[in-house]
Amino acid sequence: MRTVVIGIDRSFATRTVTAWGARLAAVVDAEVVEAHAFQRPPDVDADELARLLALRAADLEERFVDHATERGARARLVVEVGDPRQVIDRVARRESADLVVLGRSGEGADPEDPRLGRVAEHMAHHSTGSLAVVPSERQGPVTRVVLGVDGSAESLAAVAWCALVAPALDADVVVVRVREPEGEGIPGADAAAWRREAAEELVGWSRPLVDAGVRVDLVVVDDRRPMDALLGAVRSRGADVLLLGRRGVGGFEGLRTGGVALAALQRSPIPVIMVDARSP
């Protein structure tokens, strides 16, 4: 991982997001680019705009860039005029970001509101690359990861991404495979056969983690909704991060995040990382 872009505004929650992203970047020796969108006031000429941009940059440098460097990261600031959704996406593409880190709720939003802020929602659906969304609550270092897998290209990309990052973090990984309820239920013998097959598949899918020296725990969950199973694993294992592959939404051009991943962004009490199929 070479570059982590952190989207920042002037909210208090940005300190949590910055600290989390900078701590991760420092561990994997990635540069932090803190990106801020400045909303141009009406009837402002070029000279006044330049003055306002300089004032905003100085304020952000002191409040957030210094906050990142205190966590051991190499950090710099980018301030551009425009809508935050377009600015963050544009900076991420230009910097070839390996990961974009955002707060779950935006500036002025209620941090207790489970709904995604407009920037996080836009990036979840329309951005390219991997994305981390961080709740406003205080977040510590990453020592345990819950990784949801289903054998798709996206989830296997998440395994490969985790195999690169987890050793640097010295993090344990709990790999979870889930089968949803089947309405009328499934015969016990069929359920037992599925669990055996699923356990064998998990061993194969998790091989990159084992080869990288990561401590791995394999979990098979039957007859439960995926999001409930994943959040159950997060709570029972004391996880610090929930890691998923990004899944597109069939039939809706431009939408890149499926129902399970979107529910995770809205409901997870811990940071969620969605890995793009083209990663790492």
Side-chain angles (χ1 to χ4, degrees), residues 125 180 226-227 230 244-250 255-267 274:
H125 280 314
E180 295 191 66
M227 197 63 251
L230 291 170
L244 302 168
R246 296 183 75 154
R247 297 294 297 272
V249 182
L255 297 184
R256 296 178 47 77
T257 301
V260 172
L262 190 60
L265 296 181
Q266 296 170 329
R267 294 175 54 191
M274 299 189 305

Side-chain angles (χ1 to χ4, degrees), residues 11-98:
S11 67
F12 181 79
T14 290
R15 291 182 65 83
T16 299
V17 176
T18 297
W20 187 90
R23 190 182 294 114
L24 175 63
V27 169
V28 299
D29 195 28
E31 181 186 29
V32 168
V33 178
E34 299 198 61
H36 175 75
F38 181 80
Q39 303 279 2
R40 180 173 185 162
D43 304 322
V44 169
D45 62 23
D47 290 340
E48 179 64 8
L49 177 61
R51 188 185 73 83
L52 292 174
L53 284 171
L55 289 173
R56 177 64 59 83
D59 177 57
L60 295 172
E61 190 85 31
E62 180 178 357
R63 293 172 63 186
F64 299 124
V65 176
D66 290 351
H67 196 54
T69 57
E70 288 168 3
R71 269 99 189 133
R74 296 174 284 116
R76 56 187 169 91
L77 175 68
V78 174
V79 179
E80 296 188 5
V81 177
D83 184 297
R85 292 167 292 189
Q86 277 69 55
V87 169
I88 302 301
D89 196 13
R90 183 168 65 241
V91 171
R93 293 171 189 266
R94 187 175 66 232
E95 298 286 346
S96 299
D98 298 290

Side-chain angles (χ1 to χ4, degrees), residues 18-203:
T18 297
W20 187 90
R23 190 182 294 114
L24 175 63
V27 169
V28 299
D29 195 28
E31 181 186 29
V32 168
V33 178
E34 299 198 61
H36 175 75
F38 181 80
Q39 303 279 2
R40 180 173 185 162
D43 304 322
V44 169
D45 62 23
D47 290 340
E48 179 64 8
L49 177 61
R51 188 185 73 83
L52 292 174
L53 284 171
L55 289 173
R56 177 64 59 83
D59 177 57
L60 295 172
E61 190 85 31
E62 180 178 357
R63 293 172 63 186
F64 299 124
V65 176
D66 290 351
H67 196 54
T69 57
E70 288 168 3
R71 269 99 189 133
R74 296 174 284 116
R76 56 187 169 91
L77 175 68
V78 174
V79 179
E80 296 188 5
V81 177
D83 184 297
R85 292 167 292 189
Q86 277 69 55
V87 169
I88 302 301
D89 196 13
R90 183 168 65 241
V91 171
R93 293 171 189 266
R94 187 175 66 232
E95 298 286 346
S96 299
D98 298 290
L99 182 68
V100 175
V101 180
L102 299 171
R104 184 159 64 191
S105 56
E107 187 171 4
D110 180 357
E112 300 301 320
D113 190 337
R115 292 174 297 180
L116 290 177
R118 63 192 185 106
V119 179
E121 184 172 20
H122 174 86
M123 293 294 287
H125 280 314
H126 299 287
S127 69
T128 60
S130 300
L131 174 69
V133 174
V134 181
S136 59
E137 296 84 1
R138 182 177 179 83
Q139 305 293 342
V142 177
T143 60
R144 180 164 295 139
V145 177
V146 165
L147 168 60
V149 297
D150 60 8
S152 66
E154 291 84 359
S155 74
L156 296 181
V159 171
W161 192 93
C162 192
L164 291 176
V165 176
L169 296 170
D170 193 27
D172 301 336
V173 179
V174 181
V175 187
V176 182
R177 170 101 190 265
V178 185
R179 179 164 72 166
E180 295 191 66
E182 295 199 8
E184 298 180 359
I186 52 179
D190 289 347
W194 179 84
R195 284 192 291 270
R196 287 194 298 271
E197 180 182 349
E200 292 173 0
E201 289 176 330
L202 272 185
V203 171

